[in-house]
Amino acid sequence: MTVIYLKSAYDTPSATVLEAAAGGAVEIIEQVELTRERLLASRGLITGNQLDQNAMLGMREALAAFLDAGGRWFLNGHIVRPILDGMAQYRPIDTPRRADFVLTSVNPHPIFAGIDLTQIETNKGVAGFYGRGCNPLPAGAVAVNGLGEAQVAVDWVWARPGGGRVFSHAGNDLGAMGQDWGLSPELTRRILDWAGGGACLDPWPSNPARAAGERTLEEPEIFAGARSAAGRVGSIVAPSVGSYHIIRSLEGPRYAAAFDVITAPEELADILRPDDILWVPCRTPAQRMMPQREVIARHLQAGGTVVALGESRSDLWLPSIDFTETPTNWWWWQDSEADLGVKIVAPDHPLMHGMVKEDITWHLHGWFVPPAGAEVLATDAESRAILYVDEVSTPGRMILSSLDPMFHHGSHFMPATTRFLDRFVPNLKAYLHA
């Protein structure tokens, strides 16, 4: 029996995971290839913060059986679809301050033994990546690390009554923390060891749960799931890969009314119509969209519209895309005089109505070389396109951006991204339905 590293994102797993896989300690499995049989044949499961929670919800009985048999699940990210009985929806800290991100130990756990928590509290001095809230503790779970004076349980471990253990880290992947100090490989090795049956809390603490003090958490939101608009004309169709930030962005109350159809990418061939707008959310794993290239090409040839936002690698599944990735600088704003250098170069375009520079300023992931005749709407400091409209490459229309607002809005992180969507969503509907 081995440990499954479930690959939901497009990016290659870390060198530490690849080394463990080469040695036979872990098996890397694409999310769409996970079956009940493969899960039950393993001793551990590690999932990242881009986990397809829709698909996982469909495997809840298999997951429960895996845990009942003594399996271990290391879970990164926000729970928005409570997958197991006893779990509850993620709740962020309401209006957090910097002091609310101070990381302290509640109950010592072997994964963090000898690690200075201040070294994983921030990345490049920026707080909030480790976590901004909690997946509420199930009955009998033990808080491991807490945020702020209230010690909101960002990390906990749960010995389920039926068997097995779950470790929840409610933030960006724990194995990517501590990069400034070279801690990421060691954290990853410890996670792999824990998932394979390594040291946990023993003996179990007699007072396992700890309340979040007086710190207020936001109320849970309602996420309605897949959606289909009967008799629709010119609908916005959004493929959802079930990651928490996409679920919140598409189904949460702020923007839910904008999306007429929410479906899995694999179902687009049966749903997409020429007068629809296909909106592919940022950080949609490219391996989920690449098999849909012909479907999308037909849509564009029929005069349809495609909107593709950042980190979805649209160059791998759309035609005529010339894209260059760049390293992400997320710490530039620590200098009060710093300027990311982005510019709105077409302020009169309908898609940019009401926007100001601050609405497109958080950080950058890359730039495009648009074809001749395309209209550039925003650029980076080197005057390279980061948002443009292409109505020349196909009979249809493509609206492309390297900005990733849905990821950050869905993660309750970076207010500028929500301001961008507050303007872009109604602007898009008005522009395409004019």
Side-chain angles (χ1 to χ4, degrees), residues 126 329 331-341 357-358 361:
V126 179
N329 181 333
W331 59 93
W332 64 271
W333 58 75
Q334 294 183 98
D335 181 351
S336 60
E337 298 181 359
D339 186 345
L340 192 60
K357 176 181 176 179
E358 289 74 19
T361 301

Side-chain angles (χ1 to χ4, degrees), residues 51-364:
L51 174 69
D52 184 341
Q53 296 187 36
N54 293 333
M56 214 63 190
L57 194 62
M59 292 193 66
R60 63 182 301 165
E61 291 183 4
L63 184 60
F66 155 78
L67 291 165
D68 289 346
R72 290 188 175 187
W73 178 21
F74 192 96
L75 164 69
N76 291 284
H78 305 173
I79 296 171
V80 292
R81 305 267 199 247
I83 298 164
L84 295 171
D85 290 341
M87 284 184 167
Q89 186 189 124
Y90 172 84
R91 296 181 64 186
I93 298 170
D94 188 17
T95 320
R97 304 176 297 271
R98 173 62 182 90
D100 294 314
F101 300 142
V102 172
L103 186 65
T104 55
S105 176
V106 180
N107 285 293
H109 190 281
I111 286 179
F112 302 96
I115 290 178
D116 181 350
L117 295 185
T118 63
Q119 295 180 344
I120 58 176
E121 180 182 303
T122 64
N123 277 341
K124 297 290 187 181
V126 179
F129 290 96
Y130 192 92
R132 304 178 66 84
C134 65
N135 296 319
L137 285 87
V142 170
V144 173
N145 294 321
L147 295 174
E149 184 179 0
Q151 292 194 304
V152 173
V154 64
D155 297 317
W156 50 255
V157 64
W158 179 32
R160 293 175 64 251
R165 293 190 179 185
V166 179
F167 193 110
S168 167
H169 168 67
N172 286 6
D173 289 1
L174 179 61
M177 297 295 108
Q179 295 180 22
D180 301 347
W181 304 89
L183 293 173
S184 297
E186 179 60 22
L187 283 168
T188 300
R189 283 189 286 269
R190 294 183 184 193
I191 291 167
L192 290 166
D193 177 71
W194 181 88
C200 193
L201 292 174
D202 190 19
W204 204 254
S206 59
N207 183 26
R210 180 161 180 167
E214 300 300 320
R215 195 66 181 94
T216 302
L217 303 177
E218 290 187 18
E219 291 299 315
E221 296 179 316
I222 296 174
F223 306 122
R227 183 182 308 135
S228 177
R232 58 193 174 87
V233 176
S235 299
I236 295 184
V237 177
S240 173
V241 295
S243 51
Y244 71 79
H245 70 276
I246 289 178
I247 289 175
R248 181 173 189 249
S249 295
L250 297 181
E251 302 176 28
R254 197 175 192 108
Y255 306 118
F259 299 98
D260 305 291
V261 178
I262 300 174
T263 187
E266 294 76 12
E267 297 174 354
L268 286 174
D270 298 325
I271 290 175
L272 200 58
R273 301 176 184 176
D275 58 353
D276 286 337
I277 300 97
L278 175 65
W279 179 320
V280 180
C282 42
R283 303 210 187 192
T284 293
Q287 70 266 34
R288 299 286 296 274
M289 295 304 299
M290 290 162 68
Q292 311 307 316
R293 278 180 291 210
E294 291 187 9
V295 173
I296 298 169
R298 289 196 299 269
H299 181 62
L300 289 166
Q301 285 298 314
T305 294
V306 176
V307 180
L309 299 183
E311 296 287 85
S312 63
R313 288 303 304 270
S314 55
D315 55 307
L316 298 177
W317 46 270
L318 280 176
S320 307
I321 307 295
D322 185 342
F323 176 70
T324 300
E325 287 188 290
T326 56
T328 303
N329 181 333
W330 63 81
W331 59 93
W332 64 271
W333 58 75
Q334 294 183 98
D335 181 351
S336 60
E337 298 181 359
D339 186 345
L340 192 60
V342 298
K343 297 180 287 291
I344 296 174
V345 296
D348 295 330
H349 192 281
L351 287 175
M352 308 308 291
H353 176 70
M355 283 201 197
V356 295
K357 176 181 176 179
E358 289 74 19
D359 298 335
I360 61 170
T361 301
W362 54 92
H363 57 233
L364 301 172

